[in-house]
Amino acid sequence: ASTLAAAAQQSGRYFGTAVAANKLSDSTYVGILNREFDMVTAENEMKMDATEPNQGQFSYGNADRIVNHARNQGKRVRGHALAWHSQQPGWMQNMSGAALRNAMLNHVTQVASYYRGKIYAWDVVNEAFADGSSGGRRDSNLQRTGNDWIEAAFRAARAADPGAKLCYNDYNTDNWSHAKTQGVYRMVQDFKSRGVPIDCVGFQAHFNSGNPVPSNYHTTLQNFANLGVDVQITELDIEGSGSSQAQQYQGVTQACLAVSRCTGITVWGIRDSDSWRASGTPLLFDGNGNKKAAYTSVLNVLNGG
Ligand code: G3I
């Protein structure tokens, strides 16, 4: 197959990208989006600050632009993200206790209900574990409402959209030996054992020289899948260039293909110039929209080569 999406479909997987609403008027960008990808994640437009800028007043204009473009083009949508310590609207940032818990649950319910039937998978909770060696939860206003806030969010999301897969999504959870990876694993294990509705785990996969693709990546994905959840690579980008970058993209793609429950890969932007990283060249297309060596290596792996 000659596109990322068509090549991924050969093994029943998808290949997605993050999309920014303000780039949907850029014809080079939209041309690559329409041709290469069959899954779309809103880069910022479905976050809490975007969708509920004032408490109880929901705003879906930019998110709808992305969702409608994707669906009109026959692409599916990953929802990102219902509950997160970051990108909270100002009114929520200084809330606490029962008022915050109820506001969070209402947000989850309202947004997931609004998009009911249109979302393949929701990142229900994003980045709730601490960096470093503790393996525990990240401190945040949401965490301080009680350790059960994550399962409460998942239950609210399931009730609002029973057809969407519900994911926990985080970064630096790629290396099996890291405490953060183990902490997330134990939470998913606990959720599965107690019947908390969780269907998938998203691995953001933002790699750079300080956080390279680990040699045990396949082990990590397989161990999570063995808990009875799908795994997805949700925000892939890899700093670097040329053949070294291409080899790392190849390794990530091979790791997903080696795990039957790894259902797809999403890159976090289209061209290098679209990346959230202020500098660098972490994506599959250069600033002019030309395919890079990394693109070719991913396509070859998806094609079974
Ligand atoms: O739109 C405003 C613009 O009006 C304003 O002039 C400008 C000045 O700062 O800011 C613009 O908003 C920025 C927005 O990106 C759109 O470009 C925000 O400041 C900036 O904070 C925001 O950054 C986003 C970041 O999440 C926020 O947390 C990045 O685009 C987005 O790629 C990044 O994505 C995250 C995932 O959601 C979660 N995982 C990590 C990943 C990378 O950080």
Side-chain angles (χ1 to χ4, degrees):
S2 63
T3 67
L4 298 168
Q9 285 164 16
Q10 294 171 120
S11 67
R13 294 180 172 83
Y14 64 81
F15 207 97
T17 182
V19 168
N22 64 9
K23 291 181 180 152
L24 290 174
S25 53
D26 175 333
S27 60
T28 303
Y29 180 89
V30 173
I32 301 170
L33 167 62
N34 291 353
R35 184 183 77 225
E36 295 286 345
F37 300 98
D38 60 354
M39 184 71 75
V40 163
T41 306
E43 187 173 1
N44 289 296
E45 294 79 353
M46 295 174 103
K47 293 173 180 176
M48 300 178 100
D49 58 351
T51 50
E52 195 178 357
N54 301 298
Q55 188 168 15
Q57 292 181 3
F58 291 83
S59 158
Y60 296 111
N62 285 327
D64 280 348
R65 250 163 241 136
I66 292 173
V67 171
N68 292 338
H69 183 93
R71 289 168 58 81
N72 289 339
Q73 290 282 327
K75 306 177 193 309
R76 292 182 289 173
V77 177
R78 290 192 84 265
H80 173 79
L82 291 172
W84 191 15
H85 70 277
S86 182
Q87 300 294 110
Q88 291 181 0
W91 61 265
M92 185 182 279
Q93 288 176 24
N94 294 317
M95 287 181 84
S96 63
L100 173 60
R101 174 69 71 101
N102 290 334
M104 179 274 288
L105 291 175
N106 182 57
H107 181 88
V108 170
T109 299
Q110 294 295 327
V111 177
S113 297
Y114 179 82
Y115 285 110
R116 178 167 46 227
K118 296 183 172 176
I119 303 294
Y120 163 71
W122 266 113
D123 291 332
V124 178
V125 170
N126 195 37
E127 302 179 359
F129 276 74
D131 297 315
S133 59
S134 77
R137 297 285 181 82
R138 172 195 299 277
D139 179 54
S140 72
N141 61 345
L142 291 168
Q143 181 63 25
R144 290 191 290 272
T145 72
N147 204 53
D148 62 342
W149 75 274
I150 297 181
E151 61 194 84
F154 274 82
R155 292 187 198 283
R158 178 68 96 225
D161 186 355
K165 291 182 187 287
L166 305 183
C167 300
Y168 176 78
N169 191 54
D170 213 331
Y171 64 90
N172 286 1
T173 49
D174 311 287
N175 192 319
W176 179 243
S177 66
H178 282 181
K180 187 172 177 180
T181 310
Q182 296 292 316
V184 174
Y185 180 84
R186 284 191 297 271
M187 179 188 74
V188 176
Q189 191 174 43
D190 170 55
F191 280 12
K192 292 302 285 186
S193 75
R194 290 191 295 113
V196 177
I198 184 169
D199 307 302
C200 38
V201 176
F203 296 82
Q204 293 186 8
H206 295 293
F207 295 114
N208 54 48
S209 55
N211 177 44
V213 181
S215 58
N216 60 22
Y217 201 33
H218 165 249
T219 301
T220 303
L221 298 178
Q222 187 64 60
N223 284 347
F224 274 88
N226 289 348
L227 291 174
V229 289
D230 290 346
V231 296
Q232 300 163 0
I233 295 169
T234 54
E235 304 182 13
L236 177 61
D237 50 23
I238 308 178
E239 270 297 2
S241 62
S243 60
S244 116
Q245 180 183 49
Q247 272 176 19
Q248 294 179 77
Y249 265 103
Q250 177 181 326
V252 171
T253 309
Q254 284 169 337
C256 179
L257 290 192
V259 175
S260 60
R261 292 198 75 155
C262 183
T263 59
I265 298 173
T266 293
V267 288
W268 205 239
I270 296 178
R271 301 160 300 194
D272 287 334
S273 50
D274 300 315
S275 172
W276 66 288
R277 295 185 187 277
S279 61
T281 54
L283 294 172
L284 300 179
F285 295 85
D286 70 18
N288 294 319
N290 299 310
K291 297 168 181 174
K292 295 167 57 182
Y295 172 96
T296 306
S297 71
V298 170
L299 185 69
N300 286 342
V301 174
L302 294 173
N303 277 327

